[in-house]
Structures are given as structure tokens and as C-alpha cells.
Amino acid sequence: MERFRVVYRIFADSAAEAMRRAHDVALEQTVEVPADVVPQGFIADEIVGKVGRAEMGERGVFDVAISYSPDSVGTELCQLLNVIFGNSSIQQGVKVVGFEPGATIAERFAGPRFGIEGVRARANRPKGGLISPVIKPQGSSPETLAEIAFRCVAGGADIIKDDHGLADQPMAPFEERTEKVAAAVARANAEFGMSALHFANITGRSDELVERAFFAKRAGAGGVLLMPGLLGFEIVQQLAADPAFGLPIMTHPSFTGPFVLSPETGFTHAMMYGVLQRLAGSDISVFPNVGGRFGFSAEECVSIADACRDPAGIGKPIFPSPGGGMSVDRAADMAAMYGDDVVYLIGGSLLRHGDRIGEAVTAMRRAVDAVPGAR
Amino acid sequence: MERFRVVYRIFADSAAEAMRRAHDVALEQTVEVPADVVPQGFIADEIVGKVGRAEMGERGVFDVAISYSPDSVGTELCQLLNVIFGNSSIQQGVKVVGFEPGATIAERFAGPRFGIEGVRARANRPKGGLISPVIKPQGSSPETLAEIAFRCVAGGADIIKDDHGLADQPMAPFEERTEKVAAAVARANAEFGMSALHFANITGRSDELVERAFFAKRAGAGGVLLMPGLLGFEIVQQLAADPAFGLPIMTHPSFTGPFVLSPETGFTHAMMYGVLQRLAGSDISVFPNVGGRFGFSAEECVSIADACRDPAGIGKPIFPSPGGGMSVDRAADMAAMYGDDVVYLIGGSLLRHGDRIGEAVTAMRRAVDAVPGAR
């Protein structure tokens, strides 16, 4: 059994204080008892986290690796996250900046079922950035949403993503909305020779989520959208690991902002929107693009994309999916920044084109394809 | 249908900027499209958030109320949280400081099944603070954990709480651990005339959680412990709303720290560990006590306790449950701070007493009962 490692960035006045706090984290994240009452033997030797290498960065910043036994985890993703950063998430001046699963955890958590290659195969888009219009707004009827989806596929969309605010509201209940949108995408695919995938947003009670995902599949959806910040990461892993489900998964960052917005707490952007999503089994990780309505920097966005596609990461490389900040004018810049393996979300601004929304998608498709190196 | 209100604290250079950003939040949390493409009629009139009263606090700080239609939500808790603070959680300088459910949301989300009175009745502790030792550490056998539980009940514990790090590890698999600990608590209750409740920690895949909660009930557990930060809030609501389940719920703050640690993002302490837990249906909300290993201030802890017990809050008042920082010496101070309606978690330091752990619980029981006004 190989131990896994978490790298914590500890903000402290001295190396001695950083190491003392690292030892506290090693206890807090496992036995949660003072050092002097840890039972000797297996618990002291294996279960308590082991403080390993430490690196000093800029003044007052120390990156300390702590290793844990896979026996602390078992086979549950929620418990893996609990060991990585459960209670210590409530302490100031500790941030998770790295995760090395090791062989044992990598075997237990296989990660994404499809990854970049699998999604490309299903969308029949072997090269170049994928275009993913978002159907919205909430309050629209299923027919309106289906009509928007149809026009976007006609215009050349690869993925039709439900807005994450489409849940099970009375204006467009989950089942009716999903059936109508998936059917519209199927009609447009047939009519225009496309292979667009509809990603249906799955919400609901814990014990309904799996059922709803299978409903979407039966209705013809080509994937599902999940919000792990609101639903937990377990549902992502469960669906990714289920061969009977077998559809790609896109994850959305709703309700996760506080994990990355403070420099001294939570996770790095790459950990939250790259490493953790991929660990859970997401094939496409949505995050706010630089230049949109959110404050992520270009560097932060690139770090997310790199973590999504890191050949040494958990399981298959996955698509980063920057949301917002994309336009025909910026296509070349975006392609230079993200490369080919990217899913561009195109949101509310598309609606400005009304009935000609398909033409706007086509313009985006052409702008992305015109970038050298893309298809 | 009555709209619900969320109060956002917006950090901005001027009142004009704060109001502009409030209008952005009102769009972001609902239609997520620019103002000029919002469809006229129902969506513009009802679905888009309405910016209401604004109050200026200290320089650069503005509290702005935004009201939303219950139609934005439907009946799902995850979607209610998505409207309260989904995407806007990813923006700097916006913090949720208040929530007014209004009649419609209050009808749809009934909150806790038991609350303070219900838990007191089940634990047969009509007055005074409740004492809740935590059984740990992870890595222990089910027999060892059961033995600790037995001794704690013998010593006068009201609630035996599983450590939140006890999941389904090979050293103490969920079913075996839960059966043995619940049986030990039942034996001690019978032998010593007690009514202690064992709260079993429930983890696992999304579709296993309900099943595990019912397993714990059949095994004799008197309640369940849930970690909404890792599992989502839905499972709390689902179990609280299910009359066939009918056991009290304790919620644990693991993985939620980043929501409260930054002054300008996330939620206030009272919102996260008071309002949201109670909204979901928790009967006992655990949070880190002042003076323990975490940095919460006395003022923050009192604000949490006040929100848990606010007579005007959602559904029944619930127990605040400060973890750590409690000792015989501090009992009088803690009682002065929290009053009678409180569940004191007593953690790792208890283990220092070894086989005499029961006597340590008795000493705590006496110290709490000796406080004037308590039983």
C-alpha cells in the first residue's frame, strides 16, 4: 500500500512554527487527538499523517508535504477529501497546493471515464476547440430552450450545455425540459449531420440524482452537468465509475468560489478546478474565464487548464472549459492561451442574436477553426 | 407567492458601484444573461432578482437586499442555495450576511424535525447543557470504539458522537462499527438508567447515504452525523423531511472553512453554521469553539449560537454545538457564554483519561450542572 501526499502551503512567521503547524495538520486530518494520546502501534505508525519534505517559498510561506495511509480513506471519495482538507480547511493560513495520489489511491479512484479523447470521439470533433453554447435563461419554457438548442446545433455547436440554473422549476420541470431539449438536439444532429451532445443539468435529492442522470440518458442526453459544490463530489465519481451509465460528465463551479478566492485558505485554482474535478471523474471542468464577469487572472486560468490536461495527473486528461470572455474577436487570443483541447462555453451574450443565434455560433466556430493549428 | 430575500455585503468604493454590482448579482444568480437580453414579461418581472433596500455600513461596505421568486427555486434545497450564492460565490467582495425566507420558502423548507426540545426529550435531559464525547481515533477497532462509548455513557454523556473521520475504513467498517457502538450505548443506557443517543457518522456514495442512515437506525443509533460540506446539504434535508427516518441530525463543519474565513467572500459564521444548517434541517450544528484549535472569536461563536436559536429563524430552534475548548475549569465561562441550550463536544483530550474516561465525563457533567441556572 502506497501512501498519498498532500502539499499544504502554510503561512507562518518562522520555519519552526510552520513545522509545528504541519504536525498539527497531520494529527487534525487523521486521528484528531493530541499527540500524547495517540495509541501506539498501527495508529501512531500508519494512520497519523507523516510530515515530510518542506520547502520555503517567499518569506513566511512554507510548502510542507504530509503523507497519509490509504487506510485513513477506505474507498470513499468524500473521506479522501475529508483527509485531504476536512477540519484543516477551517484554519487560517493553510492552503492545499498539491496532491500526489500514489499507486493505491490511483487504483481506487480511476478518474474520468472519457477524458479529452472520449469526448472528442462522441462529439465527432477530432481536433480544435469545442464550442458549447449554454441554453438559458431560467424561466423559459422547455419549448423555448429546445428551440435555442436546435438553432445552436444547426450553427455548429459541439456541446449544448444546460444553464446551471435550470433545475426542476415549474416553468420547465426537469423531465419535460430534458426530453424536449435532447429531442431538439437529436433532430438538429440528424438534419445537419452533426454529433452535438446535450449535457443535461442534474439536481435534486441525494437519492434522486442517479435516477435523474439515467432519465437524461434515456431521453437522449449526451452527457450530464453536475455541481459538486452543491451536490458533493461523490455523485461525480459514482456516475463516472458506473459502466451502465457511460456518459461524459461536465462539472460546474457554482458555490465553490470561497475555496479559491483567499490567498491563504482553501485550494489553489488548479487544485479545485483541475485536480479535484479530475479525481472525482469529471471529463470537462467549467471555470470562469479571464476577461469575463469574474476576477480570475490569465495565469490562474492557464494553471487550471494545465492541471486538467497534465499527463501525470489522475486518470485521463480532461477538457478545461472556460466560461465567458469568449468572442469572435478574441478567438485567436483564447486559442493561443488554451491550445486545442478546450471547450469554450458561450453564454448569455449569444441570446443577443435572437433567431440568428445559429449564425453567431457559426461565426464562433469559424473563428476558432481559423486559428493556426486548429482544424 | 412571497419572494425571499438575501442580504449581500458588497465591498465597493462608492454607493453607485455597490448598486451596480448588486444589479449584476441579481442577474447572475437568476437568468445569468446581460440585462439587455432578458426576455420581457414574466422573466424580467419575476425571475430576475430585484434589488431592494441598501444600507451603508463602515466606509466601503454596503449591505444590499435582493429578493428572488420562489419560482427560481422550485422545491430543491440545492437550487435554493444555487440562487442564494451559486455563481456570485466566485466573485470577490460579495458576502452573504442575511436570509429572509418569506412565507413560501418557509413552507417548502420546514427545517429541523426535532430542534432543541425534540432532542432534549429523546436524551431525557430537559434542562442544562448536553455533554457529547466524541469517540475516536480513526484506526481503532469497533470494539475499542464501543468500549469508549460505553464508559462515556456510564459517566453521564447525553450524546455519543462518532468522530467525523470514522467513515468506512477497513479497521472499522461502517456497519460493524455502527452496530457495536450502538449496542454498547444501549447496554450502558440499560445498566445505568441513561438515555444517551449515539450519533452515527454517515458517509458514502450519494445513493448509499439514505440506506446507511436507515441501517444506523435499525442498529439502534439515536441520530446521525452528516457533513454537508462534503456530501451536500440535500441529504440533511431529505433525512430531516422523512417521517419514516425520524432521528435527529447533527451536522459537522468539515470542508466548509473557506466559506467563512475571508472577511469579503463566502458567508458570515452565523449564516453558515446557523442559518444554513437549520434551513437544511440539522438539529445540532457543530462548529469550532473559541479557545480550541481554530481561530473563531467569542463574538463569532455567539453569533452562530444566536442564529441556531433565533425564535424568528426557519423552523425550530436548534442546538449550537461548540467543539473543543471545553474543560471542567471553563464550564462556568462556557455556560455564561452559551446559556443552557447547547451541546458541548468533548474531543481528544478525554482520551487522556484512558480507562477512567467515564470519570472525566462525570466531572464535566457536574461542572456543567453546577452552573447557576442549569439543572
Side-chain angles (χ1 to χ4, degrees):
Chain A
M1 190 152 36
E2 189 181 352
R3 296 172 75 86
F4 62 99
R5 271 174 194 72
V6 181
V7 183
Y8 299 93
R9 183 158 293 163
I10 298 179
F11 296 81
D13 290 336
S14 67
E17 189 204 329
M19 292 312 280
R20 182 186 61 71
R21 285 179 45 207
H23 283 280
D24 287 348
V25 169
L27 291 167
E28 187 72 50
Q29 292 305 104
T30 54
V31 289
E32 212 196 326
V33 298
D36 63 296
V37 300
V38 174
Q40 292 309 298
F42 173 72
I43 295 178
D45 297 343
E46 298 294 331
I47 292 299
V48 173
K50 292 187 204 295
V51 177
R53 63 172 194 274
E55 289 173 19
M56 189 164 64
E58 51 185 306
R59 196 179 170 79
V61 181
F62 304 85
D63 285 358
V64 186
I66 299 180
S67 77
Y68 299 104
S69 167
D71 275 345
S72 267
V73 171
T75 61
E76 295 171 351
L77 179 60
C78 60
Q79 178 57 15
L80 175 56
L81 296 171
N82 206 14
V83 174
I84 291 174
F85 208 42
N87 269 10
S88 291
S89 83
I90 318 175
Q91 289 174 318
Q92 289 283 4
V94 187
K95 192 180 188 82
V96 175
V97 300
F99 174 62
E100 301 159 20
T104 308
I105 291 295
E107 267 165 38
R108 293 186 191 170
F109 299 91
R113 175 170 294 272
F114 292 90
I116 290 171
E117 282 190 24
V119 173
R120 282 197 179 284
R122 293 206 158 209
N124 194 23
R125 180 73 64 189
K127 289 195 332 189
L130 274 63
I131 306 282
S132 175
V134 183
I135 57 169
K136 50 170 98 171
Q138 87 174 207
S140 304
S141 69
E143 292 74 17
T144 299
L145 297 166
E147 177 67 23
I148 295 171
F150 183 92
R151 289 176 192 266
C152 287
V153 175
D158 300 297
I159 289 174
I160 300 295
K161 172 189 165 291
D162 279 355
D163 185 40
H164 78 286
L166 299 176
D168 189 38
Q169 294 102 332
M171 305 79 76
F174 167 74
E175 295 194 353
E176 185 189 350
R177 158 174 70 79
T178 302
E179 282 178 338
K180 290 195 170 152
V181 173
V185 171
R187 274 201 317 278
N189 279 339
E191 189 163 331
F192 302 101
M194 299 291 293
S195 305
L197 307 172
H198 168 224
F199 277 61
N201 188 32
I202 305 296
T203 63
R205 298 191 327 186
S206 301
D207 66 348
E208 285 174 341
L209 295 171
V210 173
E211 196 181 303
R212 285 215 181 154
F214 276 88
F215 180 92
K217 179 178 174 154
R218 288 192 303 274
V224 290
L225 178 71
L226 296 168
M227 296 181 282
L230 288 164
L231 304 173
F233 281 91
E234 282 283 350
I235 183 63
V236 182
Q237 204 228 346
Q238 182 174 350
L239 290 173
D242 184 351
F245 181 61
L247 289 184
I249 296 165
M250 179 185 261
T251 48
H252 188 281
S254 179
F255 213 69
T256 61
F259 284 104
V260 302
L261 290 180
S262 161
E264 299 194 3
T265 62
F267 293 89
T268 57
H269 292 72
M271 279 293 305
M272 174 50 70
Y273 302 119
V275 176
L276 293 192
Q277 309 299 325
R278 188 167 160 181
L279 168 66
S282 173
D283 300 291
I284 306 172
S285 174
V286 174
F287 59 93
N289 197 11
V290 59
R293 307 182 303 280
F294 300 84
F296 287 16
S297 69
E299 190 184 3
E300 286 160 352
C301 291
V302 168
S303 76
I304 294 168
D306 287 348
C308 286
R309 302 180 303 206
D310 181 0
I314 295 152
K316 296 172 177 157
I318 66 172
F319 276 114
S321 185
M326 181 64 170
S327 64
V328 168
D329 293 346
R330 292 187 74 202
D333 286 350
M334 290 290 108
M337 183 171 159
Y338 290 112
D340 268 10
D341 289 331
V342 58
V343 174
Y344 294 109
L345 291 195
I346 307 172
S349 58
L350 266 187
L351 292 179
R352 206 164 273 142
H353 300 276
D355 291 349
R356 309 181 71 166
I357 194 168
E359 292 168 39
V361 173
T362 304
M364 195 71 77
R365 175 81 264 156
R366 286 195 184 129
V368 168
D369 289 347
V371 175
R375 176 166 106 154
Chain B
M1 190 151 37
E2 188 182 352
R3 296 172 75 85
F4 63 98
R5 272 174 192 74
V6 181
V7 182
Y8 299 93
R9 183 157 294 164
I10 298 179
F11 296 80
D13 290 337
S14 67
E17 189 204 328
M19 292 310 281
R20 183 186 61 71
R21 285 180 45 207
H23 283 279
D24 287 348
V25 169
L27 291 167
E28 187 72 50
Q29 292 305 105
T30 54
V31 290
E32 212 198 325
V33 298
D36 64 295
V37 300
V38 174
Q40 292 307 299
F42 172 73
I43 294 178
D45 297 342
E46 298 293 332
I47 292 299
V48 174
K50 292 188 205 293
V51 177
R53 65 171 194 273
E55 289 173 20
M56 190 163 65
E58 51 184 307
R59 196 180 169 79
V61 181
F62 303 84
D63 285 358
V64 186
I66 299 180
S67 77
Y68 299 104
S69 167
D71 275 345
S72 268
V73 172
T75 61
E76 295 171 352
L77 180 60
C78 60
Q79 178 58 13
L80 176 55
L81 296 171
N82 205 15
V83 174
I84 291 174
F85 207 42
N87 270 9
S88 289
S89 83
I90 319 176
Q91 289 174 318
Q92 289 283 4
V94 189
K95 191 181 189 82
V96 175
V97 301
F99 174 62
E100 301 160 19
T104 308
I105 291 294
E107 267 165 37
R108 293 186 192 171
F109 299 91
R113 176 169 293 273
F114 292 90
I116 291 172
E117 282 191 24
V119 173
R120 283 197 180 284
R122 295 209 156 207
N124 195 23
R125 180 75 63 190
K127 290 196 330 190
L130 274 63
I131 306 281
S132 175
V134 183
I135 58 170
K136 52 169 96 172
Q138 98 178 194
S140 304
S141 68
E143 291 75 16
T144 299
L145 297 167
E147 177 67 22
I148 295 170
F150 184 90
R151 290 177 191 265
C152 288
V153 176
D158 299 297
I159 288 174
I160 299 296
K161 172 188 164 291
D162 279 355
D163 185 41
H164 77 285
L166 299 176
D168 189 37
Q169 296 102 331
M171 303 80 76
F174 167 74
E175 296 195 353
E176 185 187 351
R177 161 174 69 79
T178 301
E179 283 178 337
K180 291 196 169 151
V181 173
V185 171
R187 273 202 317 278
N189 279 338
E191 189 162 332
F192 302 101
M194 299 290 293
S195 305
L197 307 173
H198 169 225
F199 277 61
N201 187 32
I202 304 296
T203 62
R205 299 191 327 187
S206 302
D207 66 348
E208 284 174 340
L209 295 172
V210 173
E211 196 181 304
R212 285 213 180 156
F214 276 89
F215 179 92
K217 180 178 173 153
R218 288 193 303 274
V224 290
L225 178 71
L226 297 168
M227 296 181 281
L230 289 164
L231 303 174
F233 281 92
E234 282 282 351
I235 183 64
V236 181
Q237 204 229 346
Q238 181 173 351
L239 289 174
D242 185 351
F245 181 60
L247 289 184
I249 295 166
M250 178 185 262
T251 49
H252 188 281
S254 179
F255 213 69
T256 62
F259 284 103
V260 301
L261 291 181
S262 161
E264 299 195 2
T265 63
F267 293 89
T268 56
H269 292 71
M271 279 293 305
M272 175 50 71
Y273 302 120
V275 175
L276 293 192
Q277 309 299 324
R278 188 167 160 181
L279 168 66
S282 173
D283 300 290
I284 306 172
S285 175
V286 174
F287 60 92
N289 197 10
V290 60
R293 307 181 304 279
F294 301 84
F296 287 16
S297 70
E299 190 185 4
E300 287 160 352
C301 290
V302 168
S303 76
I304 294 168
D306 286 348
C308 286
R309 301 180 304 205
D310 181 0
I314 295 152
K316 297 172 176 154
I318 67 172
F319 276 113
S321 184
M326 181 64 168
S327 64
V328 168
D329 292 346
R330 292 188 73 201
D333 286 350
M334 291 290 108
M337 181 171 161
Y338 289 113
D340 267 10
D341 289 331
V342 58
V343 173
Y344 294 110
L345 292 194
I346 307 173
S349 58
L350 266 188
L351 292 179
R352 207 164 273 142
H353 299 275
D355 291 350
R356 309 180 70 165
I357 194 168
E359 293 168 37
V361 172
T362 304
M364 196 73 76
R365 176 81 264 156
R366 287 195 183 130
V368 167
D369 288 347
V371 175
R375 176 165 106 155

